[in-house]
Amino acid sequence: MDKLVVSEGPPLRGEVPVSGAKNAVLPILAATLLTGESCTLRGAPRLRDVNTMLRLMEGLGVPTTWDDDGVLTTRVIDEDVATAPYDLVKTMRASITVLGPLLARRGRARVSFPGGCVFGPRPVDLHIKGLRALGAEIDIEEGYIEARADRLKGARIFLGGPFGSTVTGTANVLMAATLAEGQSVIEGAACEPEVTDLAEFLVGMGARIEGIGSPRLLVDGVDELHGTSHCVIPDRIEAGTFLVAGAITGGDVTVTGIRPDTLTAVLEKFREIGVDVTEGENFIRVRRRGPLLNAEITTLPYPGFPTDLQAQFMVLLSLADGVSIVTEKIYPERFMHVAELLRMRAQIRKEGPNAIVIGTGWLSGAPVMASDLRASAALVLAGLVAKGRTDVKRVYHIDRGYERIEEKLSALGAVISREDDPEGP
Ligand code: EPU
């Protein structure tokens, strides 16, 4: 098992290229199950979660190959299988996105019911409700979602839940609706750029979708979809993570190959905190000129501030002047990083879905344990400025969603290395 060893280093400087978005490529790979033809994807990141998805696809009769230029090609060799097994689904919840496509094209799906995760229960009731509305018969048996349908039928569906819209739920219902008979109207659809990217991929396959990017999607079902080729959108969360790295170290960092319009709420928050932000067509540059200021952050569905950058911003606020409040409206229990940041001498008090962050201006290095993907990214960021050395253990979490993070940070001047951790896991 590896760990990342991070030491306090110089202000980070330079340019860092952003990879393709994990949360776009995973449902897009699932969407390739909607056709018997090959699809090609450019810009797919080489991540642990992508490898898990490729294993799942192979098990579903769709092996994939990467060429030397990083282009990923799918090939359909068997459309009789319809099971997503427990051992893969339990390691990656995004596996649930094969449910809609399998049902729509193969008429049945057997997908292991995803469990909770470290940041609380993560139900899939809205996925099931949406697919049932399209006419699927769905039972839960022996820990599996068993779904059947001869031909799905278009319907009007409201997908909002107690915490707002659902990203993978929208993906599942949208994918299923593309092959349904007649028109579907999905109200309360998630508007995340990754859902938009999926919808554009589906249109490339011949799907008829209107309202892309809005909470109201109109889908006119078609009989068949065909293969297509697509370039995955850049990862706004990876970009945001490197921008925080630039800001906390008092550096000058430019992320390239990014769409600034997907980070509007985040860039506004950087400016409020006193970070200088410049944006161009496909780059964002941050520089810190003065002290960091306290702020209030509330996570919300897109275009609000993303929950996937909450932990990283908590590190930034720990270094700011004054008291900040972070409110988590998507996953009220997503605060696993707080206890580890306390070990690094941050002053944070958790009260229900809020964290009160008392900025102290400094952190102290410590051995810390990654508990989930974004929490581990936050701990690496904290290590960049903490006095002394920080060992971030259980690095496999970070490899799920960041491509070569230590190489990208080193190129900006960070003192970071990957080492074997004999004390693993
Ligand atoms: N929810 C329900 N019922 C459902 C589905 C969701 O009540 O059937 C609730 C959830 O419990 C949560 C809220 O709705 O409170 C939003 O959850 P959502 O379904 O949107 O989350 P997700 O689709 O499972 C995706 C990302 C997450 C990201 C969230 C929120 C993928 C593969 N995952 O998860 O990404 O945090 O949307 O934006 O797209 C990450 O990359 O680290 C990550 C966790």
Side-chain angles (χ1 to χ4, degrees), residues 210-343:
E210 279 175 41
I212 294 177
S214 83
R216 186 166 192 264
L217 296 171
L218 257 77
V219 189
D220 281 300
V222 294
D223 292 338
E224 284 281 334
L225 291 172
H226 52 74
T228 189
S229 128
H230 183 78
C231 184
V232 178
I233 53 160
D235 196 314
R236 63 195 167 104
I237 306 301
E238 188 201 16
T241 305
F242 287 120
L243 294 173
V244 173
I248 55 173
T249 58
D252 181 349
V253 167
T254 302
V255 291
T256 59
I258 182 65
R259 280 184 30 200
D261 63 306
T262 60
L263 280 160
T264 306
V266 175
L267 300 188
E268 194 177 293
K269 208 43 85 174
F270 271 123
R271 291 185 175 113
E272 200 182 313
I273 294 172
V275 179
D276 187 50
V277 180
T278 334
E279 41 188 301
E281 203 179 312
N282 62 0
F283 75 86
I284 304 170
R285 177 180 185 185
V286 289
R287 274 170 293 181
R288 199 172 106 202
R289 296 229 166 89
L292 295 170
L293 311 173
N294 61 331
E296 283 189 28
I297 294 182
T298 301
T299 65
L300 288 169
Y302 189 82
F305 190 95
T307 171
D308 291 341
L309 282 173
Q310 181 254 106
Q312 299 89 319
F313 264 71
M314 202 176 283
V315 176
L316 184 61
L317 296 175
S318 294
L319 299 163
D321 290 341
V323 177
S324 299
I325 299 177
V326 176
T327 304
E328 180 51 76
K329 292 253 182 159
I330 308 292
Y331 298 113
E333 295 172 44
R334 193 178 196 177
F335 286 113
M336 299 303 289
H337 43 286
V338 169
E340 298 303 294
L341 289 174
L342 292 181
R343 304 194 68 244

Side-chain angles (χ1 to χ4, degrees), residues 41 44-47 50-51 54 64-68 70-73:
L41 295 176
R46 289 185 184 259
L47 298 169
V50 172
N51 285 339
L54 298 186
T64 47
T65 44
W66 295 93
D67 74 10
D68 293 342
V71 177
L72 190 59
T73 303

Side-chain angles (χ1 to χ4, degrees), residues 133-135 151-157 177 180-185 219 221:
L134 292 174
R151 170 99 196 251
L152 296 169
K153 292 211 167 38
R156 202 178 175 81
I157 304 155
E181 192 185 332
Q183 190 178 71
S184 299
V185 182
V219 189

Side-chain angles (χ1 to χ4, degrees), residues 336-356:
M336 299 303 289
H337 43 286
V338 169
E340 298 303 294
L341 289 174
L342 292 181
R343 304 194 68 244
M344 299 181 76
R345 305 277 302 272
Q347 288 194 25
I348 305 170
R349 199 169 73 232
K350 204 181 103 29
E351 287 191 358
N354 306 304
I356 298 158

Side-chain angles (χ1 to χ4, degrees), residues 22-24 26-27 49 92-97 117 119-129 159-171 190 192 194-195 235-237 300-302 306-309 328-332 334 372-375 400-402:
K22 167 181 86 78
N23 290 346
L26 297 175
D49 271 7
M92 189 186 67
R93 294 182 52 84
S95 314
I96 187 78
T97 53
C117 73
F119 46 93
R122 290 178 67 182
V124 289
D125 56 310
L126 297 169
H127 302 231
I128 293 176
K129 171 182 133 174
L159 270 190
F163 300 97
S165 49
T166 162
V167 173
T168 49
T170 302
E192 270 67 5
E194 294 76 20
V195 177
D235 196 314
R236 63 195 167 104
I237 306 301
L300 288 169
Y302 189 82
T307 171
D308 291 341
L309 282 173
E328 180 51 76
K329 292 253 182 159
I330 308 292
Y331 298 113
R334 193 178 196 177
D372 78 73
L373 167 55
R374 308 303 172 188
R400 292 185 52 194
Y402 291 87

